[in-house]
Amino acid sequence: MPLSEHEQRMLEQMERALYAEDPKFASALEGSGLRTYTRRRVYQAVAGFLVGIALLMAGMVAKQVWLSVVGFLVMLGCAVLAVTGWRKAPKPGEQPAAGAPHARRQGRQKRSMMDRIEQRWQRRRDEQQGGQ
């Protein structure tokens, strides 16, 4: 559920106050945590993919089909984790979505389709109430 205009203003004021009070702490909270988390998740997925290849090969050498199937499933699951983690990772110069006020402005520019539809609906409803 999106924040109202009043709530957004209050949040921006609180963020500005935090930056004014303790800029070092605010910049520490700003953004590297998500990036390192997603990077670590991708690395773990790549390692799991390699383990899956090893299981697949071991199953082929030992002529155990079930072990090869498990290896393939591990590979598939890790590939999905790596791709989703890679897509969610913020770019090096980019801030996470819930960061500083300038990051929120970027998010406003890239609104989802549902947000735009909801905004149009609200605008029409306001116009109808004003016209009556």
Side-chain angles (χ1 to χ4, degrees):
M1 185 168 130
L3 297 175
S4 69
E5 288 294 321
H6 175 69
E7 291 170 333
Q8 287 178 354
R9 281 190 303 253
M10 293 286 292
L11 184 61
E12 287 174 3
Q13 287 175 355
M14 289 170 36
E15 287 174 349
R16 276 182 282 195
L18 177 64
Y19 280 106
E21 242 178 66
D22 195 357
K24 188 175 179 181
F25 177 67
S27 64
L29 290 176
E30 200 168 74
S32 65
L34 179 64
R35 195 171 350 167
T36 56
Y37 169 75
T38 53
R39 187 181 306 138
R40 189 175 337 139
R41 182 176 170 187
V42 169
Y43 290 152
Q44 289 172 347
V46 168
F49 189 83
L50 295 175
V51 168
I53 289 175
L55 285 172
L56 184 101
M57 293 298 187
M60 291 174 65
V61 168
K63 296 183 181 174
Q64 297 291 325
V65 175
W66 66 271
L67 189 58
S68 295
V69 170
V70 168
F72 176 76
L73 292 176
V74 168
M75 287 171 50
L76 183 66
C78 288
V80 168
L81 282 176
V83 168
T84 57
W86 192 264
R87 285 184 182 166
K88 290 180 183 177
K91 306 295 183 261
E94 186 179 41
Q95 297 293 330
H102 61 275
R104 193 177 304 108
R105 272 184 251 122
Q106 272 183 341
R108 284 185 192 150
Q109 292 172 355
K110 297 181 179 180
R111 288 186 182 142
S112 70
M113 184 178 74
M114 288 303 293
D115 288 340
R116 289 191 308 258
I117 291 172
E118 186 175 316
Q119 190 178 34
R120 288 178 191 159
W121 178 262
Q122 183 69 32
R123 203 177 316 132
R124 285 183 190 137
R125 193 167 51 175
D126 291 344
E127 287 171 2
Q128 286 177 352
Q129 288 176 353
Q132 290 179 353

PDB file of all heavy atoms in Angstrom, residues 5 17 44 60 76 78 102 112 115 127 129-130:
ATOM      1  N   GLU A   5       0.554  11.402   0.653  1.00  0.00           N
ATOM      2  CA  GLU A   5       1.441  12.551   0.480  1.00  0.00           C
ATOM      3  C   GLU A   5       1.953  13.048   1.831  1.00  0.00           C
ATOM      4  O   GLU A   5       3.126  13.378   1.974  1.00  0.00           O
ATOM      5  CB  GLU A   5       0.715  13.678  -0.266  1.00  0.00           C
ATOM      6  CG  GLU A   5       0.475  13.393  -1.732  1.00  0.00           C
ATOM      7  CD  GLU A   5       1.773  13.312  -2.517  1.00  0.00           C
ATOM      8  OE1 GLU A   5       2.705  14.098  -2.260  1.00  0.00           O
ATOM      9  OE2 GLU A   5       1.854  12.435  -3.390  1.00  0.00           O
ATOM     10  N   ALA A  17      16.276  15.078   8.795  1.00  0.00           N
ATOM     11  CA  ALA A  17      16.728  15.288  10.171  1.00  0.00           C
ATOM     12  C   ALA A  17      17.833  14.287  10.531  1.00  0.00           C
ATOM     13  O   ALA A  17      18.816  14.647  11.186  1.00  0.00           O
ATOM     14  CB  ALA A  17      15.552  15.152  11.139  1.00  0.00           C
ATOM     15  N   GLN A  44      26.721 -17.665  -3.825  1.00  0.00           N
ATOM     16  CA  GLN A  44      26.271 -18.932  -3.265  1.00  0.00           C
ATOM     17  C   GLN A  44      25.559 -19.774  -4.319  1.00  0.00           C
ATOM     18  O   GLN A  44      25.727 -20.996  -4.372  1.00  0.00           O
ATOM     19  CB  GLN A  44      25.349 -18.695  -2.071  1.00  0.00           C
ATOM     20  CG  GLN A  44      26.057 -18.173  -0.851  1.00  0.00           C
ATOM     21  CD  GLN A  44      25.089 -17.763   0.248  1.00  0.00           C
ATOM     22  OE1 GLN A  44      23.885 -17.645   0.030  1.00  0.00           O
ATOM     23  NE2 GLN A  44      25.627 -17.536   1.439  1.00  0.00           N
ATOM     24  N   MET A  60      26.490 -39.955 -13.014  1.00  0.00           N
ATOM     25  CA  MET A  60      26.770 -40.610 -14.293  1.00  0.00           C
ATOM     26  C   MET A  60      27.886 -41.641 -14.150  1.00  0.00           C
ATOM     27  O   MET A  60      27.802 -42.735 -14.711  1.00  0.00           O
ATOM     28  CB  MET A  60      27.141 -39.564 -15.347  1.00  0.00           C
ATOM     29  CG  MET A  60      25.968 -38.695 -15.751  1.00  0.00           C
ATOM     30  SD  MET A  60      26.418 -37.354 -16.858  1.00  0.00           S
ATOM     31  CE  MET A  60      26.956 -38.240 -18.296  1.00  0.00           C
ATOM     32  N   LEU A  76      19.467 -26.472 -11.482  1.00  0.00           N
ATOM     33  CA  LEU A  76      18.331 -25.668 -11.927  1.00  0.00           C
ATOM     34  C   LEU A  76      17.918 -24.655 -10.856  1.00  0.00           C
ATOM     35  O   LEU A  76      17.721 -23.471 -11.138  1.00  0.00           O
ATOM     36  CB  LEU A  76      17.154 -26.583 -12.284  1.00  0.00           C
ATOM     37  CG  LEU A  76      15.906 -25.907 -12.828  1.00  0.00           C
ATOM     38  CD1 LEU A  76      16.204 -25.273 -14.178  1.00  0.00           C
ATOM     39  CD2 LEU A  76      14.783 -26.913 -12.958  1.00  0.00           C
ATOM     40  N   CYS A  78      19.709 -23.468  -8.367  1.00  0.00           N
ATOM     41  CA  CYS A  78      20.753 -22.456  -8.171  1.00  0.00           C
ATOM     42  C   CYS A  78      20.794 -21.470  -9.334  1.00  0.00           C
ATOM     43  O   CYS A  78      21.082 -20.285  -9.138  1.00  0.00           O
ATOM     44  CB  CYS A  78      22.107 -23.128  -7.976  1.00  0.00           C
ATOM     45  SG  CYS A  78      22.236 -23.944  -6.381  1.00  0.00           S
ATOM     46  N   HIS A 102      16.386  11.187  -2.724  1.00  0.00           N
ATOM     47  CA  HIS A 102      16.654  11.195  -4.163  1.00  0.00           C
ATOM     48  C   HIS A 102      16.426   9.827  -4.779  1.00  0.00           C
ATOM     49  O   HIS A 102      16.074   9.717  -5.926  1.00  0.00           O
ATOM     50  CB  HIS A 102      18.081  11.698  -4.443  1.00  0.00           C
ATOM     51  CG  HIS A 102      19.150  10.848  -3.840  1.00  0.00           C
ATOM     52  ND1 HIS A 102      19.573  11.011  -2.537  1.00  0.00           N
ATOM     53  CD2 HIS A 102      19.863   9.825  -4.357  1.00  0.00           C
ATOM     54  CE1 HIS A 102      20.513  10.122  -2.280  1.00  0.00           C
ATOM     55  NE2 HIS A 102      20.708   9.391  -3.351  1.00  0.00           N
ATOM     56  N   SER A 112       4.985   1.683 -11.360  1.00  0.00           N
ATOM     57  CA  SER A 112       4.401   0.505 -11.986  1.00  0.00           C
ATOM     58  C   SER A 112       3.077   0.885 -12.641  1.00  0.00           C
ATOM     59  O   SER A 112       2.510   1.950 -12.379  1.00  0.00           O
ATOM     60  CB  SER A 112       4.164  -0.581 -10.943  1.00  0.00           C
ATOM     61  OG  SER A 112       3.132  -0.202 -10.075  1.00  0.00           O
ATOM     62  N   ASP A 115       0.250   1.572 -10.182  1.00  0.00           N
ATOM     63  CA  ASP A 115       0.298   2.874  -9.527  1.00  0.00           C
ATOM     64  C   ASP A 115      -0.285   3.958 -10.422  1.00  0.00           C
ATOM     65  O   ASP A 115      -1.023   4.830  -9.962  1.00  0.00           O
ATOM     66  CB  ASP A 115       1.738   3.237  -9.160  1.00  0.00           C
ATOM     67  CG  ASP A 115       2.269   2.412  -8.015  1.00  0.00           C
ATOM     68  OD1 ASP A 115       1.448   1.848  -7.263  1.00  0.00           O
ATOM     69  OD2 ASP A 115       3.511   2.333  -7.872  1.00  0.00           O
ATOM     70  N   GLU A 127     -12.252  14.660  -9.617  1.00  0.00           N
ATOM     71  CA  GLU A 127     -12.898  15.550 -10.574  1.00  0.00           C
ATOM     72  C   GLU A 127     -14.414  15.406 -10.507  1.00  0.00           C
ATOM     73  O   GLU A 127     -15.151  16.392 -10.605  1.00  0.00           O
ATOM     74  CB  GLU A 127     -12.414  15.263 -11.988  1.00  0.00           C
ATOM     75  CG  GLU A 127     -11.005  15.730 -12.264  1.00  0.00           C
ATOM     76  CD  GLU A 127     -10.480  15.241 -13.601  1.00  0.00           C
ATOM     77  OE1 GLU A 127     -11.230  14.554 -14.347  1.00  0.00           O
ATOM     78  OE2 GLU A 127      -9.322  15.548 -13.915  1.00  0.00           O
ATOM     79  N   GLN A 129     -16.210  14.464  -7.892  1.00  0.00           N
ATOM     80  CA  GLN A 129     -16.682  15.040  -6.641  1.00  0.00           C
ATOM     81  C   GLN A 129     -16.664  16.559  -6.690  1.00  0.00           C
ATOM     82  O   GLN A 129     -17.522  17.235  -6.138  1.00  0.00           O
ATOM     83  CB  GLN A 129     -15.832  14.565  -5.467  1.00  0.00           C
ATOM     84  CG  GLN A 129     -16.068  13.117  -5.118  1.00  0.00           C
ATOM     85  CD  GLN A 129     -15.132  12.630  -4.015  1.00  0.00           C
ATOM     86  OE1 GLN A 129     -14.231  13.334  -3.599  1.00  0.00           O
ATOM     87  NE2 GLN A 129     -15.361  11.406  -3.567  1.00  0.00           N
ATOM     88  N   GLY A 130     -15.663  17.127  -7.371  1.00  0.00           N
ATOM     89  CA  GLY A 130     -15.573  18.582  -7.505  1.00  0.00           C
ATOM     90  C   GLY A 130     -16.634  19.149  -8.423  1.00  0.00           C
ATOM     91  O   GLY A 130     -17.093  20.271  -8.259  1.00  0.00           O
TER      92      GLY A 130
END
